[in-house]
Amino acid sequence: AQSVTQLGSHVSVSEGALVLLRCNYSSSVPPYLFWYVQYPNQGLQLLLKYTSAATLVKGINGFEAEFKKSETSFHLTKPSAHMSDAAEYFCAVRGSGGSNYKLTFGKGTLLTVNP
Amino acid sequence: NAGVTQTPKFQVLKTGQSMTLQCAQDMNHNSMYWYRQDPGMGLRLIYYSASEGTTDKGEVPNGYNVSRLNKREFSLRLESAAPSQTSVYFCASSEILNTEAFFGQGTRLTVV
């Protein structure tokens, strides 16, 4: 079975500072990895996804994530935070076959951006 | 382009009442899912339907039933609502297995 651990339920950064949201996964098969963003009172929107192609994945709104198999990590970064980035971010993992295809989410990291 | 549409958006139930949450997608996706979101718990899978005509239990199926009415629609039923089912419910769909899921806007359910 696969699982996801997001380190830090709340991250606070200043506007213009680096954003780093941490995600570690566990999967018995090669994983598909995703980052989703949720703005208040809205559904989840896909930021980016890793599907075994390039290990550095670029997403929307200037976010990117790097898949590191040796560290079982898929951390999300953005060089310069903007006020509009304040939201909750979820890392998710899905296996690549059989009954492993279910999408499993981490518990989320709330990002606040201070002016 | 509506994507995934959930109804209703808000609902208050009394303990023991029943209701059905509706979900429809217009992207011709094969797979559909129901999740619940609770503070500090992330999203937990209730039921899913890999393709039309099939449904399977997820992580937290107790107290729920589902129906994959056709390729577009996937409903979630609470037969006898309990306060522990107070949550935000999300429906999602994906084209095939191993592709990203698209989410609806959620149904905020309160059971009193």
Side-chain angles (χ1 to χ4, degrees), chain B residues 17-86:
Chain B
Q17 285 185 318
S18 62
M19 80 160 295
T20 299
L21 281 64
Q22 306 287 353
C23 175
Q25 52 91 9
D26 63 2
M27 295 174 282
N28 201 35
H29 284 172
N30 289 293
S31 301
M32 298 186 73
Y33 316 85
W34 277 104
Y35 290 88
R36 61 178 288 174
Q37 183 180 29
D38 302 290
M41 300 294 289
L43 280 86
R44 293 180 292 171
L45 183 64
I46 305 171
Y47 271 93
Y48 63 97
S49 172
S51 60
E52 185 180 358
T54 69
T55 61
D56 286 287
K57 295 179 179 179
E59 183 183 356
V60 288
N62 291 344
Y64 305 96
N65 285 299
V66 291
S67 295
R68 183 75 183 267
L69 303 170
N70 47 56
K71 192 172 185 179
R72 289 187 64 248
E73 299 173 288
F74 189 39
S75 63
L76 178 71
R77 183 161 178 84
L78 287 70
E79 291 291 351
S80 179
S84 61
Q85 294 178 305
T86 294

Side-chain angles (χ1 to χ4, degrees), chain A:
Chain A
Q2 55 254 24
S3 64
V4 168
T5 301
Q6 290 185 241
L7 301 176
S9 59
H10 187 194
V11 171
S12 181
V13 300
S14 299
E15 191 172 19
L18 171 72
V19 175
L20 171 61
L21 304 182
R22 300 177 187 275
C23 172
N24 287 90
Y25 70 91
S26 171
S27 177
S28 59
V29 297
Y32 290 71
L33 293 158
F34 307 85
W35 275 101
Y36 284 84
V37 60
Q38 184 181 33
Y39 298 103
N41 300 314
Q42 294 192 23
L44 279 72
Q45 178 184 359
L46 182 70
L47 269 181
L48 50 80
K49 62 181 178 181
Y50 167 76
T51 57
S52 76
T55 56
L56 182 62
V57 181
K58 294 187 184 298
I60 62 172
N61 301 338
F63 284 93
E64 63 181 36
E66 185 173 8
F67 172 70
K68 292 187 177 181
K69 185 177 179 180
S70 61
E71 299 178 8
T72 60
S73 68
F74 190 57
H75 301 331
L76 182 70
T77 61
K78 182 174 181 178
S80 177
H82 191 272
M83 297 295 289
S84 61
D85 294 327
E88 191 157 21
Y89 292 80
F90 293 92
C91 182
V93 63
R94 168 178 278 149
S96 59
S99 62
N100 296 313
Y101 58 82
K102 290 174 286 185
L103 197 59
T104 302
F105 285 86
K107 295 186 177 182
T109 298
L110 182 65
L111 175 67
T112 58
V113 182
N114 304 306

